[in-house]
């Protein structure tokens, strides 16, 4: 992965060659529910979250705990959004969703994939801490490097994913 910052003179490299993990099915032209590929395109990075305290930076940050979920239930009105509820009281299918209190989400940034929240077009795409292997469709890097990126990010930042 390479990181760039736009300046008055154009795009300037900030970091290059960061080891990165993507979906176990590689990359795909479009996100699809249940298919573990990382979608290609340009995506917003609206806010960050994690089980660890806020490392600083310009994005809104949500520290998550056991009651934080990403709704992956295609039939839910809150599909593809973060929700806070006790598992037994959630108004969506938690079996189709993701509890956010896992080691890979020590630090994470929400990727603006399927912002229209169209059922079948995928949910829960994040830029997060790696566990050393492929993801279910997210982008993952070493946590220390991710913290540096989060501290650098500002509102309006985007992520471009291409082969």
């Amino acid at each position: 992965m390479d990181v760039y910052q736009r300046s008055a003179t154009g795009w300037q490299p900030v970091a290059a060659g960061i080891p990165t993990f993507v979906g176990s099915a590689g990359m795909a032209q479009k996100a699809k529910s249940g298919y573990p590929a990382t979608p290609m395109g340009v995506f917003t990075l609206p806010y960050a979250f994690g089980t660890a305290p806020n490392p600083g930076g310009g994005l809104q940050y949500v520290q998550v705990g056991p009651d934080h979920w990403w709704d992956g239930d295609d039939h839910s009105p809150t599909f593809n959004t973060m929700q806070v509820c006790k598992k037994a009281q959630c108004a969506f299918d938690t079996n189709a969703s993701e509890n956010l209190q896992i080691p890979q989400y020590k630090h994470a940034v929400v990727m603006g994939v399927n912002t229209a929240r169209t059922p079948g077009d995928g949910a829960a795409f994040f830029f997060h801490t790696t566990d050393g292997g492929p993801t279910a469709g997210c982008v993952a890097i070493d946590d220390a490097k991710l913290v540096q990126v989060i501290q650098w990010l500002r509102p309006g930042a985007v992520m471009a994913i291409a082969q």
Side-chain angles (χ1 to χ4, degrees), residues 45-70:
L45 298 172
Y47 67 96
F49 70 91
T51 59
N54 186 348
L59 297 182
Q60 173 191 351
Y61 187 89
V62 177
Q63 188 168 359
V64 299
D67 296 333
H68 286 84
W69 295 83
W70 197 270

Side-chain angles (χ1 to χ4, degrees), residues 29-107:
Q29 290 296 321
K30 184 178 180 195
K32 182 175 143 186
S33 294
Y35 185 61
T38 300
M40 292 185 284
V42 177
F43 305 106
T44 59
L45 298 172
Y47 67 96
F49 70 91
T51 59
N54 186 348
L59 297 182
Q60 173 191 351
Y61 187 89
V62 177
Q63 188 168 359
V64 299
D67 296 333
H68 286 84
W69 295 83
W70 197 270
D71 181 355
D73 177 358
D74 280 334
H75 305 290
S76 168
T78 57
F79 173 67
N80 202 26
T81 64
M82 183 185 288
Q83 298 295 308
V84 182
C85 54
K86 301 268 185 220
K87 183 175 183 175
Q89 298 167 344
C90 294
F92 51 88
D93 182 358
T94 57
N95 292 321
S97 303
E98 226 179 309
N99 184 272
L100 300 180
Q101 191 178 29
I102 62 170
Q104 295 89 332
Y105 299 152
K106 181 176 182 181
H107 295 100

Side-chain angles (χ1 to χ4, degrees), residues 12-35:
Q12 306 299 319
V14 174
I18 300 168
T20 306
F21 295 90
V22 296
S24 61
M27 292 196 271
Q29 290 296 321
K30 184 178 180 195
K32 182 175 143 186
S33 294
Y35 185 61

Side-chain angles (χ1 to χ4, degrees), residues 5-17:
Q5 181 172 351
R6 188 171 20 196
S7 70
T9 59
W11 291 99
Q12 306 299 319
V14 174

Side-chain angles (χ1 to χ4, degrees), residues 110-133:
V110 174
M111 294 169 48
V113 176
N114 193 13
T115 57
R117 299 175 39 225
T118 305
D121 285 354
F125 290 93
F126 310 121
F127 178 32
H128 65 75
T129 302
T130 185
D131 63 5

